[in-house]
Amino acid sequence: MEQQDVITLLSRRELEKMRKAGQVAAELLDYLEPMVKPGVTTLALNDAAEAWTQKRGAISAPLGYEGPVMDFPRSICTSVNEVVCHGIPSADQVLRHGDIINIDVTPIVDGYHGDTSRTFFVGEPSPLARKLVEVTQEAMWRGIRAVKPGGRVGDIGAAIQAYAEAEGFSVVRDFVGHGVHRIFHTAPQIPHYGTAGKGKKFRKGMVFTIEPMINVGTYEVEVLADGWTALTADRKLSAQFEHTIAVTADGVEVLTLAPAKVPA
Ligand code: MF3
Ligand code: CO
Ligand code: CO
């Protein structure tokens, strides 16, 4: 088997490191949230994130991450409106009232990655944008709650797809959740669509992301010539939420909740 096909089961010691990385990631999003306002550029968000990450003694995993066309040139992903994921922060991109923006951060803390994203409103959203974002967040939670002892990876996508499609939206196929620990993207792959009861069995110590991208229109995406920016093929809105989770003996632990929000 290729190294990338092996699903690593993390030890208690490694899980503790993932917890720390996950909490730093959550805190970073909490820090950025109040900056999301009309008039701010996505580069300003990026630069604030990079400075904060350095101050915490962490490393921004996206910066210089290897891509098919070019290495990712910034420290976070900022995906606005019809951008599905991997939007590149830019000085030319000014947020406007009514936009939605997904901010995706992945600090590396003591060698381990905390990968999380949320979609924020810039000012007051349209009713459609609000519904899309709310449905996407709930879809992520339904995926997380589908992780149970004895279950399989397909249970996650089935739960997300059933809910998102019942609400009239579509689920992106071209990007999936992923194993994450010392390695940013590794096995298992976690599709956000699919069939319950199919795929790999959950094992205690597995750590992966659940990060559904949900579209108003078609689920088809296009990637720009920069090799990163993924847009909806029909240029309608897309939203995303992401948590990094660990499979436990009796269910799931969400590693990317802010410390104040982690139940005692
Ligand atoms: N954080 C993204 C994910 O959820 C990956 C970004 S790779 C980058 O997997 F290079 F675009 F940053
Ligand atoms: Co991410
Ligand atoms: Co991810």
Side-chain angles (χ1 to χ4, degrees), residues 86 104 106 115-116 176-178 180 184-185 209-211 240 242-244:
H86 303 164
D104 192 338
T106 312
D115 189 3
T116 186
V176 297
H178 51 91
V180 59
F184 194 174
H185 295 100
T209 70
I210 298 178
E211 51 178 301
Q240 181 178 27
E242 172 175 29
H243 273 308
T244 298

Side-chain angles (χ1 to χ4, degrees), residues 82-190:
E82 71 278 8
V83 177
V84 171
C85 65
H86 303 164
I88 301 172
S90 159
D92 301 329
Q93 187 176 41
V94 181
L95 295 183
R96 294 180 315 175
H97 189 90
D99 285 344
I100 60 172
I101 177 174
N102 175 277
I103 302 182
D104 192 338
V105 302
T106 312
I108 306 171
V109 180
D110 199 12
Y112 288 78
H113 295 71
D115 189 3
T116 186
S117 82
R118 303 178 201 149
T119 300
F120 301 108
F121 301 124
V122 183
E124 196 61 26
S126 71
L128 178 63
R130 183 183 293 281
K131 183 184 170 187
L132 176 69
V133 170
E134 287 175 358
V135 165
T136 304
Q137 186 168 29
E138 172 63 16
M140 175 194 66
W141 283 114
R142 288 185 183 218
I144 291 171
R145 290 197 296 264
V147 179
K148 290 179 191 149
R152 290 178 182 268
V153 163
D155 302 352
I156 297 171
I160 291 170
Q161 183 178 18
Y163 174 66
E165 291 182 355
E167 294 293 337
F169 298 138
S170 70
V171 179
V172 169
R173 268 68 162 158
D174 289 3
F175 300 97
V176 297
H178 51 91
V180 59
H181 33 80
R182 279 189 171 279
I183 308 171
F184 194 174
H185 295 100
T186 187
Q189 291 197 27
I190 310 292

